[in-house]
Amino acid sequence: MRVAVLVAAWLAPACGAAAEAPNLVRNAGFEQVVAGGGMPADWSFAAGNGARATCAVDPAAHTGERCLRLTNQSARFPHVYGHLYQAAFAVKPSTGYVFGLWVKADHAGYAWFGGGREWRLRWRIPEGTYDWQWIGAHYVTQVDETTFELRVI
């Protein structure tokens, strides 16, 4: 079984320190949940093509009160995966952004975060078992790119 836990997704303009720029990711720390205690507001999860993957709110957060636990018991195979995603939000063309998240893993296999047009940004999440760590990437939008859809696969 491959498990990855994540919290606090971040996407901000790279024009200054990321901590000073506004986070463009809605409900980035997963603190607001939809009625009934299901998925965090502004986030969706899907498992396609027979993937044995799940996503659940977990109280073992890095900060705040909750994080998400993504579990995938499927063997790696094209187009068979579970993915957490957030609908497209506005970005500026030809602009640099800092993108990252806190992750913790228990026997994590192949996984990545990113998105954008044609999922151009794919930044690997480390494999293995480890405590909370920040992973991040720098991303420059294309000249005509005005939206970004965030994914964790």
Side-chain angles (χ1 to χ4, degrees), residues 42-111:
D42 298 310
W43 291 93
S44 298
F45 178 80
N49 296 320
R52 295 178 317 189
T54 61
C55 178
V57 173
D58 191 302
H62 176 264
T63 56
E65 295 181 17
R66 60 186 53 89
C67 65
L68 292 183
R69 178 180 299 270
L70 304 176
T71 304
N72 184 0
Q73 296 181 359
S74 302
R76 186 172 174 207
F77 194 77
H79 310 293
V80 178
Y81 55 84
H83 63 115
L84 176 69
Y85 62 97
Q86 187 168 107
F89 44 86
V91 292
K92 295 179 181 177
S94 303
T95 302
Y97 290 88
V98 174
F99 178 57
L101 37 92
W102 283 99
V103 296
K104 177 179 180 178
D106 180 10
H107 298 92
Y110 182 84

Side-chain angles (χ1 to χ4, degrees), residues 2-6 53 70-72 74-77 80-84 99 101 103-115 119 121-128 130 135 151-153:
R2 297 174 293 165
V3 177
V5 179
L6 63 124
L70 304 176
T71 304
N72 184 0
S74 302
R76 186 172 174 207
F77 194 77
V80 178
Y81 55 84
H83 63 115
L84 176 69
F99 178 57
L101 37 92
V103 296
K104 177 179 180 178
D106 180 10
H107 298 92
Y110 182 84
W112 58 266
F113 70 92
W119 300 3
L121 172 62
R122 295 182 187 201
W123 196 261
R124 289 287 306 273
I125 294 173
E127 294 184 25
Y130 47 86
I135 56 172
R151 296 185 180 277
V152 180
I153 295 180

Side-chain angles (χ1 to χ4, degrees), residues 95-98 115-117 120-121 137-142 145 148:
T95 302
Y97 290 88
V98 174
R117 179 181 299 142
R120 194 168 64 98
L121 172 62
H138 184 262
Y139 176 74
V140 178
T141 53
Q142 296 177 333
E145 192 169 7
F148 188 95

